[in-house]
Amino acid sequence: MKSMKISVRELAEYAYKRGSIDEKFRSSKALSEGTAIHQAVQKEYKETEEKEVYLDFLYEMEEMTLHIHGRCDGVLRSEEGLVIDEIKSTSLEAEELEEDFFPEHWGQAYGYAYMYCEREQLEGINVQLTYVQKASKKKIRYLRYLTVEQLAEEVRFMVEAYTPYALTLVRMRAQKHETLPKLGFPYPSYREGQRTFAGSVYRTAREGRTLFAQAPTGIGKTISSLFPGVKAMEEGDFEQLYYATAKTTTRETAEEAIRLMQEEGASLTAVTLTAKDKICFQEETICQPEYCSFADGYYDRINDALVDILTNESLLDRSTIETYARKHHICPFEYSLDLTNAADIVIGDYNYVYDPRVALKRLSRDRTKKMGLLVDEAHNLVERARDMYSASLSASDFETLPSLVESDRAGSLAASIASDISSLFPENQREVSIDEIPGVMEERLEAFVEETESFLRDLLPEEQNETVMNVYFGSQHFLNMLEQKDDNFVYIGKEKEELKLYCLNPRTVVKRITDAYRFSVYFSATLSPFAYYKEMLGGTPEDYILKLPSPFSREQIDTIFTPLSTRFRDRERTARDVSDSLKKQTETWPGNHLFFFPSYSYLELIHSYAKEWGKEIVVQERNMDEERKSEFLAQFTEESEIIGFAVLGGVFSEGVDLKGDRLRGVAVVGVALPPRDIEKELIHRYFENQDRNGYNYAYVYPGMNKVLQAGGRLIRSEEDHGVLQFIDDRFMTPVYRGLLPEEWKNK
């Protein structure tokens, strides 16, 4: 018989939750607050009373069996008899909290009570909801007695409400497991290196390990990671994959790979997560019923919307989600998040996994231990993670708050924090690092957050001040990162204005997150040098490593090394020579070319000379949106002779496929070293103290990764041929030359 497992909480929320999305202010520490409140109440239990009691029950129906399970907060003993206690924290004041305000809470408690009665053969039991007000810690209790027959009726209602969705999920799971054994590789043959990569991913998934793989352009990384990941699901060790990527183009490539497997007969459901501000139907993203009709009544309509889309669609990309969201008049962003519970594959940005500010609450430990993690373009994650785990406070922002907040205490604390930041650093130093901040400052920051929360909770969106909200959330993030602080972090002060908790090495935090998943695969065409990226992303000696050669031949690339200095001090002097070298490339190899520069200012300098070439030149603009980016690339046709000027590390140096005659040549001007600043110097010093080459870790490796990405735009298939020019005398030295792929060193 068909069966599935579901927690009491999930069952109750599905059946009872009604009403609207109402994202009024909430503390970002809600989960940890709730845990602390639960523990505080449970400490008050008598020695004879039980807490965290595991209960389960098999609910059999004609169509299927539901395995309902969960942990009851408490089984108490009172004069009235046994009591099932369900503890909930709330921001509502006591007078607002009516007994039936949250029917899903009663539903959860009824579920535990029914299972306990069945287990202990009781005729009835007391059911209690214990609410704890977060700010005051005041307890409000509601107590009811129900017979086992009444409890059975409550559970029957929840099960009947859930059954259509459950049957949909069971059907999807059965079809998946029926079709996966028959699924073959969706291409006639494997490319060189592709089978090796796919086999390594499969082995990693089956064994629950971590793999770091450098898979050069042309191998087909996306299908070579997704296909074995999907095939490994056959054994039932895990149920879902999260495909993490940083760019729209790679998300689209993942969707195409899934479409190919579906066309081969695989019954798979995949959902793509799109940022809220991009997918929102409204001009302003205000998720409250009085402002957005798609939020109004969302929970009244979501259950039908889930069954509808899962019955009729399998590739839930942005367009499909928007279509069904409009059909059912619901928020498309929340819709996509709710679909992650049912999808076999979730495609989304890194931040939904790694960023503590926006990571999906749905990715609980219970979920991730049954989920595989595929991290595409993993070289991008190092700097992204550094940014995610760093936090800043601005003295000037705190100075403005006393006139903006209603609370005198919050204003006073803000003024003190501003003074604390300014007094941390010597008068004559613009930038400085320190090991610790005074404990009193941390206490003030905690008090400020708590005090600010107390009045922000009651504000409507139009009453919220943007500066106050930014300072509050920035302070909250700073405190959260303080909990992570170890030797991998340092404090930086700038201009007596900014205090920054800077993450020098994200490996510890990244590894902690990765360890929660069944398995993980980090892959990129440019994990070079390999040891650097493995270390920065939390790799261990036990992890698998794979470094594959390029599937392309040396004969496809004509490589030129032009030993001119592009150092900042020499740029004006060598600009004419750089321009002449680029012009010669376009004359020797007619067609379309892309030239990459380390900065906009340097690009503009060379462009001023290139205007004399008499050729059609297009230039990357600052802050180009997707439409402008598409227009830029559309000019590169097989018949055109376009010269594109772009920036290393920008939107055109990754994820761009101009195959065949759409791109004849690429030139990389400079080694793309990051500008020298206090953060890079601290990274330099940190790794020197770790017996590493600190200069390479801080400057050379990040810069050369941009070079490798830009150079990789040239050859995208076995049929491509072209010229690749490196303009900088440092490319002739062993350090930089050694970081280039072998097939780029032919001349």
Side-chain angles (χ1 to χ4, degrees):
M1 179 181 284
K2 301 172 185 175
S3 66
M4 71 173 295
K5 192 173 183 180
I6 184 172
S7 71
V8 179
R9 179 172 181 168
E10 289 176 298
L11 181 64
E13 288 183 348
Y14 188 94
Y16 281 107
K17 197 163 187 180
R18 294 291 181 268
S20 307
I21 299 170
D22 193 358
E23 290 192 358
K24 290 180 180 175
F25 172 81
R26 289 187 181 91
S27 165
S28 59
K29 298 187 76 172
L31 184 60
S32 58
E33 280 182 331
T35 301
I37 285 171
H38 270 67
Q39 293 171 347
V41 173
Q42 288 173 333
K43 282 183 180 178
E44 298 174 0
Y45 289 172
K46 301 171 186 174
E47 287 187 9
T48 56
E49 296 175 333
E50 301 174 82
K51 60 185 178 182
E52 300 299 325
V53 179
Y54 180 78
L55 299 165
D56 69 339
F57 181 78
L58 294 178
Y59 195 103
E60 296 185 357
M61 301 172 284
E62 284 187 20
E63 309 97 326
M64 64 179 298
T65 298
L66 273 185
H67 180 191
I68 306 170
H69 67 98
R71 290 191 180 276
C72 169
D73 287 334
V75 179
L76 315 183
R77 287 165 173 78
S78 70
E79 293 180 0
E80 292 79 16
L82 289 173
V83 179
I84 295 295
D85 192 27
E86 178 61 23
I87 306 165
K88 298 293 182 184
S89 57
T90 180
S91 299
L92 296 175
E93 298 298 334
E95 56 272 16
E96 299 177 278
L97 189 62
E98 298 176 0
E99 187 170 347
D100 292 312
F101 197 93
F102 294 107
E104 63 268 29
H105 295 170
W106 282 114
Q108 187 176 351
Y110 292 155
Y112 293 133
Y114 177 68
M115 291 191 291
Y116 192 84
C117 284
E118 285 291 320
R119 191 181 79 177
E120 302 297 327
Q121 297 295 297
L122 302 178
E123 294 182 358
I125 197 167
N126 294 290
V127 182
Q128 176 173 277
L129 287 184
T130 299
Y131 286 102
V132 182
Q133 212 285 329
K134 289 180 181 178
S136 67
K137 302 299 185 287
K138 180 180 178 180
K139 300 180 184 67
I140 306 106
R141 290 186 169 92
Y142 296 109
L143 184 70
R144 297 173 178 175
Y145 178 86
L146 283 84
T147 65
V148 69
E149 290 80 14
Q150 290 173 313
L151 291 169
E153 183 62 22
E154 295 289 345
V155 172
R156 184 192 63 78
F157 168 79
M158 291 190 286
V159 168
E160 287 185 356
Y162 186 71
T163 297
Y165 183 57
L167 288 172
T168 301
L169 296 182
V170 168
R171 172 189 56 78
M172 290 166 57
R173 185 173 64 183
Q175 290 176 347
K176 178 176 73 173
H177 287 290
E178 180 184 345
T179 58
L180 288 191
K182 306 171 189 175
L183 176 64
F185 190 64
Y187 287 98
S189 62
Y190 286 92
R191 295 177 183 175
E192 182 181 347
Q194 197 168 35
R195 185 187 292 273
T196 302
F197 182 34
S200 298
V201 173
Y202 182 81
R203 180 182 178 186
T204 300
R206 289 301 321 280
E207 296 179 6
R209 302 276 290 274
T210 296
L211 168 67
F212 290 86
Q214 179 167 297
T217 298
I219 281 180
K221 298 184 293 296
T222 306
I223 191 65
S224 303
S225 59
L226 279 168
F227 172 70
V230 166
K231 289 292 286 183
M233 286 186 189
E234 288 180 33
E235 306 302 323
D237 295 327
F238 64 100
E239 299 170 357
Q240 292 181 295
L241 291 172
Y242 188 101
Y243 191 93
T245 180
K247 296 183 181 293
T248 302
T249 50
T250 45
R251 287 197 285 274
E252 291 170 349
T253 305
E255 290 171 351
E256 180 58 29
I258 293 163
R259 186 178 290 109
L260 286 172
M261 289 188 284
Q262 290 172 337
E263 290 172 356
E264 287 291 312
S267 183
L268 294 167
T269 300
V271 60
T272 299
L273 301 179
T274 304
K276 182 188 287 190
D277 59 342
K278 290 184 178 180
I279 201 172
C280 180
F281 291 150
Q282 307 290 67
E283 289 187 11
E284 284 190 84
T285 307
I286 302 176
C287 301
Q288 292 196 12
E290 56 266 36
Y291 294 94
C292 177
S293 62
F294 297 97
D296 188 18
Y298 175 87
Y299 294 108
D300 299 331
R301 300 186 292 275
I302 182 58
N303 291 351
D304 289 342
L306 290 172
V307 173
D308 188 12
I309 196 171
L310 293 172
T311 301
N312 295 293
E313 308 289 346
S314 56
L315 192 58
L316 314 180
D317 57 12
R318 176 177 176 175
S319 175
T320 303
I321 289 169
E322 288 177 338
T323 298
Y324 278 80
R326 290 190 184 280
K327 176 182 177 181
H328 292 274
H329 207 81
I330 56 175
C331 168
F333 180 70
E334 287 295 325
Y335 192 20
S336 67
L337 296 185
D338 282 332
L339 286 166
T340 63
N341 295 323
D344 303 304
I345 304 170
V346 180
I347 305 169
D349 192 88
Y350 299 151
N351 58 10
Y352 295 119
V353 172
Y354 292 101
D355 193 332
R357 290 162 290 192
V358 296
L360 297 182
K361 294 177 183 176
R362 290 166 175 81
L363 295 182
S364 64
R365 187 66 185 245
D366 286 342
R367 284 276 304 281
T368 56
K369 68 184 181 183
K370 296 180 181 179
M371 178 180 275
L373 177 62
L374 304 174
V375 183
D376 193 3
E377 303 292 358
H379 62 275
N380 285 314
L381 184 56
V382 176
E383 285 304 319
R384 283 283 300 273
R386 270 205 184 106
D387 182 61
M388 291 172 189
Y389 307 134
S390 298
S392 296
L393 302 174
S394 165
S396 59
D397 284 345
F398 279 99
E399 286 170 355
T400 64
L401 287 196
S403 62
L404 299 176
V405 295
E406 298 176 5
S407 164
D408 291 339
R409 184 164 184 261
S412 175
L413 286 165
S416 297
I417 293 167
S419 176
D420 289 340
I421 294 171
S422 299
S423 63
L424 281 173
F425 311 106
E427 288 285 346
N428 58 347
Q429 287 187 267
R430 293 181 63 246
E431 296 181 322
V432 65
S433 66
I434 58 174
D435 294 326
E436 296 295 339
I437 59 173
V440 66
M441 181 179 176
E442 186 176 340
E443 291 172 4
R444 283 187 181 127
L445 201 58
E446 290 174 346
F448 166 77
V449 167
E450 184 176 342
E451 182 66 24
T452 307
E453 282 178 2
S454 65
F455 71 84
L456 286 178
R457 286 193 183 102
D458 299 325
L459 298 182
L460 295 172
E462 68 270 19
E463 298 172 323
Q464 295 172 355
N465 180 279
E466 185 176 357
T467 300
V468 176
M469 299 299 290
N470 288 340
V471 174
Y472 165 76
F473 284 114
S475 301
Q476 185 68 266
H477 181 53
F478 194 94
L479 289 171
N480 288 341
M481 288 301 98
L482 272 180
E483 296 176 6
Q484 307 283 346
K485 186 180 181 300
D486 55 18
D487 293 341
N488 297 310
F489 291 79
V490 66
Y491 294 105
I492 300 174
K494 297 184 178 182
E495 304 281 356
K496 297 177 68 66
E497 154 65 19
E498 179 188 11
L499 173 65
K500 185 171 188 176
L501 178 58
Y502 184 60
C503 179
L504 297 165
N505 186 347
R507 60 168 286 115
T508 303
V509 190
V510 170
K511 186 177 187 305
R512 187 180 303 126
I513 293 168
T514 302
D515 285 348
Y517 287 79
R518 161 71 186 177
F519 72 92
S520 55
V521 178
Y522 292 93
F523 58 101
S524 168
T526 57
L527 287 186
S528 180
F530 208 80
Y532 164 77
Y533 284 100
K534 184 183 175 192
E535 178 179 359
M536 299 301 286
L537 295 174
T540 68
E542 292 74 34
D543 296 334
Y544 288 134
I545 59 173
L546 178 67
K547 189 173 183 180
L548 295 168
S550 172
F552 304 136
S553 68
R554 290 174 180 245
E555 287 69 30
Q556 290 180 255
I557 306 175
D558 290 312
T559 310
I560 302 169
F561 291 94
T562 304
L564 295 169
S565 174
T566 70
R567 295 167 182 82
F568 186 80
R569 64 177 181 271
D570 297 325
R571 288 179 181 177
E572 291 283 352
R573 178 177 61 81
T574 62
R576 171 65 70 181
D577 292 334
V578 170
S579 173
D580 289 345
S581 297
L582 295 173
K583 180 184 178 185
K584 183 178 179 181
Q585 176 177 322
T586 66
E587 293 172 341
T588 308
W589 288 270
N592 299 316
H593 294 258
L594 267 176
F595 298 153
F596 292 95
F597 301 85
S599 69
Y600 279 101
S601 59
Y602 196 17
L603 178 154
E604 290 161 359
L605 172 63
I606 304 303
H607 183 240
S608 67
Y609 288 91
K611 291 175 182 177
E612 304 169 4
W613 298 354
K615 296 180 179 292
E616 185 176 357
I617 299 174
V618 293
V619 178
Q620 177 183 340
E621 303 163 5
R622 288 176 169 85
N623 304 316
M624 293 178 80
D625 58 23
E626 290 294 327
E627 184 178 355
R628 287 290 299 120
K629 177 184 172 183
S630 297
E631 291 172 357
F632 181 97
L633 294 175
Q635 299 173 86
F636 290 76
T637 68
E638 294 189 352
E639 293 76 31
S640 64
E641 290 194 16
I642 297 284
I643 313 300
F645 276 43
V647 176
L648 285 163
V651 293
F652 299 115
S653 61
E654 289 192 50
V656 171
D657 277 314
L658 296 173
K659 295 180 180 178
D661 289 337
R662 291 189 67 194
L663 188 62
R664 189 71 194 282
V666 167
V668 177
V669 182
V671 292
L673 299 187
R676 190 180 294 266
D677 59 24
I678 188 172
E679 293 171 359
K680 298 297 184 296
E681 286 302 296
L682 287 169
I683 294 172
H684 181 176
R685 186 194 312 166
Y686 168 87
F687 282 105
E688 287 287 339
N689 292 334
Q690 302 282 327
D691 295 324
R692 305 287 193 273
N693 187 316
Y695 183 79
N696 287 352
Y697 271 61
Y699 295 100
V700 176
Y701 299 155
M704 281 299 290
N705 195 273
K706 295 178 182 179
V707 170
L708 297 174
Q709 285 293 323
R713 298 313 95 207
L714 180 62
I715 304 299
R716 309 299 295 176
S717 72
E718 292 87 344
E719 291 75 36
D720 290 351
H721 292 80
V723 58
L724 179 57
Q725 182 175 193
F726 295 99
I727 301 179
D728 194 296
D729 53 15
R730 285 168 286 190
F731 285 120
M732 309 300 290
T733 64
V735 171
Y736 293 91
R737 193 70 167 260
L739 294 171
L740 297 177
E742 286 300 317
E743 64 272 16
W744 291 2
K745 301 177 184 178
N746 63 326
K747 292 185 182 179

